[in-house]
Amino acid sequence: MKIFNTMKKTNKETHKLPMNGKVKRGFRFYCAIVAALTLVMGMSVTAFAAGGDPIQVVNNLSDFIFGLIRAIGLILLGFGIVQVGLSLKSHDPSQRANGFLTLAGGIIITFAKEILTLITG
């Protein structure tokens, strides 16, 4: 097909542009400054301290950790639902048992904070 093969194949060579020593040094200096400023601006984060109450800091950390645990529990819960659905389709009893165990584990992990507050009062 001549439609796609219309361009001629030619060997075109590329050559570097001439650059003397001062220009090279200046360009390197410019690249180093841009990289340093990018790193400084990208990695600088303002940290706000809590209002001086250490209990509030511990509560914030606890809420963050339990939020991560809840996210892991929801992922396991979704995986358990998928596994049970696939086992019902393929009529595999061992996969169904594993699916229900994963589903139960996901529910327990998702509601871990509520379960702990219920136990401790």
Side-chain angles (χ1 to χ4, degrees), residues 37-46:
L37 285 177
T38 303
L39 286 174
V40 166
M41 293 298 186
M43 292 184 181
S44 63
V45 177
T46 306

Side-chain angles (χ1 to χ4, degrees), residues 73 75-81 83 97-107:
I75 291 169
L76 279 175
L77 190 65
F79 182 69
I81 290 171
Q83 202 169 11
N98 286 339
F100 280 118
L101 286 175
T102 307
L103 191 70
I107 290 171

Side-chain angles (χ1 to χ4, degrees), residues 66-117:
F66 276 115
L68 289 177
I69 291 172
R70 182 175 295 250
I72 292 169
L74 287 173
I75 291 169
L76 279 175
L77 190 65
F79 182 69
I81 290 171
V82 169
Q83 202 169 11
V84 168
L86 289 174
S87 71
L88 290 174
K89 184 178 179 182
S90 67
H91 304 291
D92 187 8
S94 65
Q95 187 180 6
R96 190 174 308 143
N98 286 339
F100 280 118
L101 286 175
T102 307
L103 191 70
I107 290 171
I108 291 171
I109 292 173
T110 301
F111 297 109
K113 185 175 182 180
E114 288 79 11
I115 293 170
L116 286 175
T117 55

Side-chain angles (χ1 to χ4, degrees), residues 49-62:
D53 187 18
I55 301 298
Q56 185 65 32
V57 173
V58 172
N59 286 338
N60 288 343
L61 181 63
S62 173

Side-chain angles (χ1 to χ4, degrees), residues 15-21 23-24:
H15 300 284
K16 284 185 173 182
L17 291 175
M19 191 182 308
N20 62 10
V23 176
K24 271 187 186 178

